[in-house]
Amino acid sequence: MRAIDLSHDPKRKSWVSSANAPDGDFPIQNLPFCAFRRARSAEEFRGGVAIGDSVLDLGALHELGVLDGPAAHSLGACARPFLNALMGLGPEASSALRAGLSAALRTESTLAPRLRPLLIPQEAAEYRVAAQVGDYTDFYASIHHATAVGKLLRPDNPLFPNYKWLPVAYHGRASSIRVSGYDFARPAGQVLPPGAALPELAATRRLDYELEVGVFVGRGNELGRSVPLREAESHLFGLCLLNDWSARDIQAWEYQPLGPFLAKNFATTVSPWVVTLEALAPFRVPWSRPPGEPPPLAYLDDGTERGSGAIDIQLEARLDTARMRAAGLAPQRLSHASFRDSWWTIGQMLAHHTVNGCNLKPGDLLGSGTQSGPLPEQAGSLLELTSAGKRPIALAGGETRTFLEDGDRVILRGWCERPGYARIGFGEAVGTVLTA
Ligand code: CA
């Protein structure tokens, strides 16, 4: 677990005045990383860090040469088109860079005049997925989601017997991961319509989102070497928002016996910002099992994990339809949950992923699985919120929804709040469904 230090001090302010707004996503206590360039430019992408409403150009900062020691070494890894090299350096390196950036951006820094030209308004930048994702694994770590979906499919037996013992996952598709702002056409696939005897090829009629946390792998592990739970977080870099778009009718017909395939690999949206585990240190909370539930096997259980293995990240999904935009209505909140309710922690996911010696590489991406809270209104997908399309949601402006319609825009947000600490945010992961 990362330590709380001066970089988390809520009294620390920045000479970038927009970073000092109390309800902003990007105060000096956050400092999330991205890969960016000026919008509509032919510049090479490079690393950036969010501060207030701006992004600090880490490629230019590296050229300026004002940081020294381990922070300067880490900064060199940011002057590249993707952040895999930074992620692979490990937690000591990212902590050193965080400390250096925090010192350079704080009000008392004498570097302000030299760094100010390196700030680019976030709205004038374009982003890409922060890392070149070699492999992508999607977990199923919310027991509330797994139970609710299981009840829809198997009312008498919602959870398979393995669920409480191991972090269930499938291997996803890395090539279709896109940064926030990606608009995509409603995908086609093979479906078995209700009551039909034969399947057909059709545009999906049951397109859904999944509200998830993404986790970027940091330092890798060699093939054949498992990572014990006590070391697991030292192999993780940071977290983002992730929307695992899902075509439920395609999924229902194809998923047995090998799991999701074309129902999910047409698009996955992530937020541009990667919030480091260092920034999340104040928001760690105990991880526990409810009374009466079995403890996990020893390789997934230890005192550190029980003390602070979970993270209290508020997660929210909003829907913005074409008619709502035309009428000037604000996006409507569909649900709100916390990542602290996840049955499995990010450390347990990594330890389990490598227990057989599977090698993970810097920049690999793990999805947490849909994060639903214990209450029905905290569900992280339309499948759950509408009981598989049987209970439409009423929207402001008079529309209803069971599944997503053309023109619908889904906005995921995340943030952390705790008394005595600065609020930090994840920004947004946004995607829009276009006509097939
Ligand atoms: Ca998922």
Side-chain angles (χ1 to χ4, degrees):
M1 305 289 167
R2 311 311 202 256
I4 295 178
D5 58 27
L6 284 173
S7 72
H8 303 94
D9 182 354
K11 292 193 287 293
R12 183 168 286 200
K13 304 292 183 199
S14 174
W15 51 262
V16 181
S17 56
S18 59
N20 303 324
D23 55 350
D25 275 353
F26 307 120
I28 194 170
Q29 291 81 6
N30 192 350
L31 303 178
F33 292 92
C34 71
F36 86 104
R37 66 180 177 187
R38 284 182 179 79
R40 295 172 297 282
S41 78
E43 296 174 351
E44 185 58 90
F45 281 88
R46 63 275 190 187
V49 70
I51 181 74
D53 60 8
S54 297
V55 51
L56 179 67
D57 185 337
L58 297 181
L61 185 64
H62 174 62
E63 287 175 19
L64 203 58
V66 292
L67 298 191
D68 51 21
H73 177 69
S74 303
L75 186 59
C78 299
R80 303 191 189 182
F82 290 100
L83 296 181
N84 298 65
L86 173 69
M87 294 176 179
L89 288 176
E92 299 80 10
S94 56
S95 291
L97 180 56
R98 172 182 169 83
L101 292 171
S102 180
L105 288 165
R106 62 187 297 208
T107 308
E108 296 81 357
S109 171
T110 57
L111 293 172
R114 300 182 69 189
L115 266 56
R116 200 177 291 279
L118 277 47
L119 295 174
I120 295 157
Q122 287 173 18
E123 58 184 23
E126 66 182 44
Y127 307 89
R128 60 164 37 162
V129 179
Q132 205 160 18
V133 179
D135 279 297
Y136 161 48
T137 304
D138 198 18
F139 282 86
Y140 198 50
S142 164
I143 197 170
H144 306 297
H145 172 72
T147 304
V149 171
K151 274 182 184 162
L152 295 170
L153 300 171
R154 302 172 300 275
D156 300 330
N157 180 31
L159 281 184
F160 287 115
N162 60 4
Y163 188 86
K164 293 181 178 177
W165 294 95
L166 62 88
V168 170
Y170 67 94
H171 282 122
R173 182 86 196 159
S175 65
S176 54
I177 299 168
R178 289 291 181 276
V179 79
S180 180
Y182 179 65
D183 304 337
F184 61 94
R186 174 179 300 276
Q190 194 176 129
V191 299
L192 183 67
L198 297 173
E200 64 179 31
L201 179 67
T204 176
R205 301 176 185 93
R206 290 161 78 88
L207 186 59
D208 200 354
Y209 67 90
E210 291 192 338
L211 171 53
E212 304 196 16
V213 172
V215 187
F216 279 97
V217 172
R219 203 161 56 196
N221 62 299
E222 284 178 29
L223 181 60
R225 183 196 172 271
S226 56
V227 178
L229 182 62
R230 68 176 179 280
E231 296 174 18
E233 286 207 9
S234 72
H235 288 260
L236 296 172
F237 177 78
L239 277 56
C240 65
L241 302 168
L242 186 151
N243 185 343
D244 175 25
W245 304 94
S246 301
R248 301 300 184 192
D249 42 1
I250 299 171
Q251 185 179 0
W253 174 234
E254 75 172 8
Y255 87 100
Q256 288 178 315
L258 288 185
F261 181 35
L262 301 179
K264 287 172 176 282
N265 68 3
F266 55 91
T268 303
T269 303
V270 294
S271 55
W273 303 107
V274 184
V275 177
T276 61
L277 284 177
E278 286 83 12
L280 291 166
F283 309 101
R284 305 304 299 244
V285 289
W287 163 84
S288 65
R289 285 279 184 264
E293 296 289 357
L297 297 183
Y299 79 99
L300 294 175
D301 197 356
D302 71 17
T304 305
E305 209 64 18
R306 286 185 178 265
S308 57
I311 315 175
D312 187 16
I313 305 171
Q314 306 299 307
L315 299 167
E316 175 192 80
R318 288 181 183 260
L319 178 64
D320 185 25
T321 74
R323 270 179 56 184
M324 290 165 70
R325 288 195 293 281
L329 297 170
Q332 180 164 330
R333 177 186 275 192
L334 297 176
S335 67
H336 173 206
S338 171
F339 189 42
R340 71 183 298 161
D341 290 320
S342 180
W343 186 258
W344 297 107
T345 68
I346 58 173
Q348 290 167 327
M349 291 181 217
L350 187 121
H352 183 68
H353 204 316
T354 64
V355 73
N356 66 346
C358 174
N359 54 323
L360 300 181
K361 301 184 298 296
D364 282 359
L365 183 63
L366 313 180
S368 67
T370 309
Q371 289 301 311
S372 299
L375 302 175
E377 63 269 25
Q378 296 171 335
S381 70
L382 288 171
L383 180 70
E384 297 157 82
L385 289 171
T386 69
S387 300
K390 291 194 271 294
R391 293 190 305 158
I393 295 170
L395 301 177
E399 292 180 278
T400 62
R401 280 295 180 278
T402 49
F403 292 97
L404 297 171
E405 298 189 4
D406 293 350
D408 282 359
R409 178 172 296 159
V410 177
I411 304 163
L412 306 186
R413 290 185 183 142
W415 66 93
C416 299
E417 289 175 319
R418 178 183 163 194
Y421 288 91
R423 174 197 190 278
I424 67 169
F426 283 71
E428 294 182 341
V430 182
T432 307
V433 180
L434 307 177
T435 306

